[in-house]
Amino acid sequence: MTAFRTLDDIGDVRGKRVLVRVDLNVPMADLKVTDDTRFRATVPTVTELADKGAIVLLLAHFGRPKGVRTPDQSLALLTIAYGHVLGRQVRFVEDCVGPGAADAVAKMEPGEVAILENTRFHAGEEENDSALAAQMAALGDLYVNDAFSAAHRAHASTEGLAHLLPAFAGRAMEAELRALEKALGNPERPVAAVVGGAKVSTKLDVLGHLVAKVDHLIIGGGMANTFLAARGVAVGKSLCEHDLASVALGILDAADRANCTVHLPYDVVVAKEFAAHPASLRTCNVHEVAADEMILDIGPAATEALGDVLKTCRTLVWNGPLGAFETPPFDAATVALARTAAALTQGGSLVSVAGGGDTVAALNAAAVAADFTFVSTAGGAFLEWMEGKTLPGVAALERQEDR
Ligand code: ADP
Ligand code: MG
């Protein structure tokens, strides 16, 4: 397990100024927060530090202001809503660096929490400017990173700062890193990966990395069509990247060499038009798709067989829905396989980790997210981790261990 320090190692924080990088980038409509999942993820770390008497200074970005102070992307807009979720009063400090911020911080008492203004109001944030990171560091004694979802970016507040202060992983970051380690870093075998979603082109690096790592690669969604077509199957009007045929064959070859079994569907759900419960809906063998039909989900026989594969596995990592799940009944395979994975997890035979924007939506729709071992809401960072990339925000925490 890669080593990083956590809040267990932070020592006495009473009266210390702790800069905590969090993800407060919540969706808003009409000045109201529409989904406070990201707020809730920060609560354990912030509560723990405040209860121990730290002066908690939250660093976060909001939107893409690109170095310009834009009032509608001020974190002031979120401070009250965030305080409600945290269950305590939260101050707002009008900048994340500089003398004004230093004055405001100097007036804070142990146990108090403040949100510092949007880090991306400074161009140096996204440039990982060392001078900006040094100005941030001047406001604090310790640094905690609790924003896994921003860890794939080497920015001043996510990476640069970790080199300037004693750095620790927050509780949410710690949970995420441990879950990901269990799923792909050092997993119990056999390992299965489900990769679905619309297009092969967006997940080439994911597929390339996984074939060398997992024992079973289950390919579903639109990208399965590209693999089927590459093998000479007629996929009709299906979403399919015909120009990626040789790339798909290359992935299948690499899987063969690595002893990774690739599972492509052998029955599919097709329709002539993409709509909810269309009249032309039918289930057929993959070799029977007509020229005017499109594949919109994996069929029930294949889904059952995939469930049997999962029963032989100890670990599952899942990114991407198996069908066009937003439109019923093309959610059937995703829901059924997710239920199987959830039941195996609850039965204690499977460690299941899932992530990806649409994947999380599909698991929530199937009401099984809570029964998975871990569901990552990190989006881009989760995918980069599935590609086997080193996340700079995580690497900066690891280096701290060596000091
Ligand atoms: P994630 O956000 O979890 O990484 P993706 O964005 O890669 O997932 O893919 C999700 C999208 O793939 C969904 O919008 C879904 O409708 C689409 N999709 C899945 N299967 C098919 C299919 N057979 N035909 C067309 N679209 C599909
Ligand atoms: Mg998506």
Side-chain angles (χ1 to χ4, degrees):
M1 165 108 217
T2 2
F4 53 91
R5 293 191 290 179
T6 71
L7 296 189
D8 295 330
D9 310 303
I10 200 167
D12 184 9
V13 294
R14 191 161 180 82
K16 293 211 176 124
R17 300 164 303 161
V18 186
L19 289 162
V20 186
R21 181 53 160 99
V22 287
D23 184 355
L24 302 181
N25 198 25
V26 291
M28 302 254 287
D30 300 329
L31 289 174
K32 288 225 157 48
V33 176
T34 51
D35 179 353
D36 65 5
T37 309
R38 286 178 165 163
F39 282 1
R40 283 185 279 116
T42 70
V43 170
T45 292
V46 175
T47 304
E48 181 173 340
L49 289 169
D51 283 350
K52 287 183 175 160
I55 294 164
V56 184
L57 307 170
L58 303 182
L59 289 169
H61 74 277
F62 184 40
R64 296 177 182 270
K66 299 264 172 228
V68 181
R69 267 188 181 268
T70 22
D72 61 346
Q73 293 177 92
S74 170
L75 284 170
L77 300 172
L78 301 182
T79 303
I80 290 176
Y82 180 72
H84 284 310
V85 172
L86 186 63
R88 32 185 107 201
Q89 210 197 323
V90 176
R91 292 170 178 261
F92 175 71
V93 174
E94 282 172 15
D95 204 346
C96 63
V97 291
D103 282 349
V105 170
K107 293 195 184 94
M108 288 173 65
E109 301 286 333
E112 283 193 327
V113 179
I115 294 179
L116 310 189
E117 182 59 290
N118 197 341
T119 53
R120 290 192 187 167
F121 281 1
H122 297 273
E125 164 71 339
E126 295 191 59
E127 294 158 6
N128 199 6
D129 176 46
S130 55
L132 182 71
Q135 281 186 291
M136 290 175 181
L139 292 179
D141 303 302
L142 302 166
Y143 172 72
V144 171
N145 190 347
D146 211 23
F148 177 83
S149 53
H152 58 314
R153 310 264 184 244
H155 292 172
S157 70
T158 62
E159 204 273 344
L161 193 47
H163 299 289
L164 302 176
L165 292 173
F168 305 85
R171 294 302 182 198
M173 172 75 88
E174 179 188 352
E176 182 104 24
L177 293 177
R178 289 202 200 289
L180 299 188
E181 176 71 14
K182 255 207 254 172
L184 272 190
N186 187 20
E188 261 194 71
R189 294 196 172 270
V191 185
V194 171
V195 182
K199 289 183 167 182
V200 172
S201 52
T202 62
K203 294 186 181 171
L204 280 177
D205 292 342
V206 172
L207 293 164
H209 178 60
L210 288 178
V211 290
K213 283 260 174 185
V214 305
D215 305 293
H216 296 277
L217 178 62
I218 294 167
I219 301 178
M223 65 172 64
N225 304 337
T226 300
F227 281 88
L228 290 169
R231 282 189 167 172
V233 175
V235 297
K237 284 196 302 170
S238 303
L239 175 64
C240 179
E241 293 168 288
H242 290 284
D243 52 325
L244 287 181
S246 63
V247 174
L249 292 176
I251 290 168
L252 294 175
D253 270 352
D256 244 10
R257 287 195 300 274
N259 272 327
C260 165
T261 309
V262 176
H263 301 266
L264 287 168
Y266 45 80
D267 67 337
V268 286
V269 179
V270 298
K272 290 191 165 88
E273 65 273 54
F274 183 31
H277 303 287
S280 58
L281 181 77
R282 70 183 187 108
T283 298
C284 66
N285 184 283
V286 278
H287 297 288
E288 294 165 0
V289 179
D292 60 349
E293 288 179 322
M294 57 190 132
I295 302 171
L296 290 163
D297 200 10
I298 285 183
T303 307
E304 202 178 315
L306 293 175
D308 288 339
V309 171
L310 295 191
K311 283 175 196 154
T312 69
C313 291
R314 304 289 291 168
T315 304
L316 166 68
V317 35
W318 186 331
N319 170 260
L322 297 176
F325 75 100
E326 300 95 332
T327 311
F330 307 114
D331 57 342
T334 304
V335 170
L337 197 65
R339 288 204 176 126
T340 303
L344 293 169
T345 306
Q346 291 305 307
S349 68
L350 191 69
V351 167
S352 54
V353 173
D358 292 294
T359 309
V360 175
L363 296 184
N364 283 334
V368 298
D371 291 337
F372 271 54
T373 310
F374 190 80
V375 176
S376 173
T377 54
F382 180 84
L383 268 186
E384 289 200 16
W385 166 80
M386 276 192 80
E387 291 166 359
K389 293 201 176 124
T390 305
L391 309 189
V394 175
L397 292 178
E398 284 164 3
R399 271 199 289 277
Q400 280 273 328
E401 189 76 10
D402 306 329
R403 288 185 186 176

